[in-house]
Amino acid sequence: SDAVAESGYRDLPRLLADHARLDPAETKRLARHAEALHPRVTPAGATVEPDLPATCTMVDDGEAGDGHVEVIWKTMTRLRGVDDLDAD
């Protein structure tokens, strides 16, 4: 379901800020983690795989928390920007 669009909001961080009364920076972090850890469906109906599926497994198993996810996300984002880095 597209709870964000159905609620009339443009994005998840704003929805969370208003309904959960969270700090805007925190809501952006939560939305970023959700996108990195879980598959999502585009408006056209295509499934987009998460960027950090192995990290998702670790979170589900209780082996990693929010702080770990943030460090892994930042590290992987930086590594993806490195030229000539072998992805394997």
Side-chain angles (χ1 to χ4, degrees):
S1 107
D2 190 359
V4 175
E6 290 175 11
S7 66
Y9 284 85
R10 291 187 194 179
D11 59 33
L12 181 58
R14 183 61 191 200
L15 176 96
L16 289 172
D18 285 354
H19 290 278
R21 299 190 187 272
L22 296 173
D23 175 71
E26 178 69 3
T27 64
K28 288 178 185 174
R29 186 187 65 78
L30 290 171
R32 184 173 61 241
H33 289 190
E35 188 173 287
L37 298 174
H38 303 285
R40 55 197 181 280
V41 178
T42 68
T47 300
V48 177
E49 293 302 315
D51 292 333
L52 305 173
T55 304
C56 181
T57 301
M58 292 173 58
V59 171
D60 288 347
D61 292 344
E63 298 171 359
D66 287 344
H68 297 105
V69 174
E70 187 67 10
V71 169
I72 294 166
W73 180 84
K74 285 180 179 179
T75 301
M76 293 306 295
T77 299
R78 287 182 184 134
L79 288 174
R80 286 184 188 106
V82 175
D83 292 335
D84 300 325
L85 183 66
D86 186 4
D88 297 327

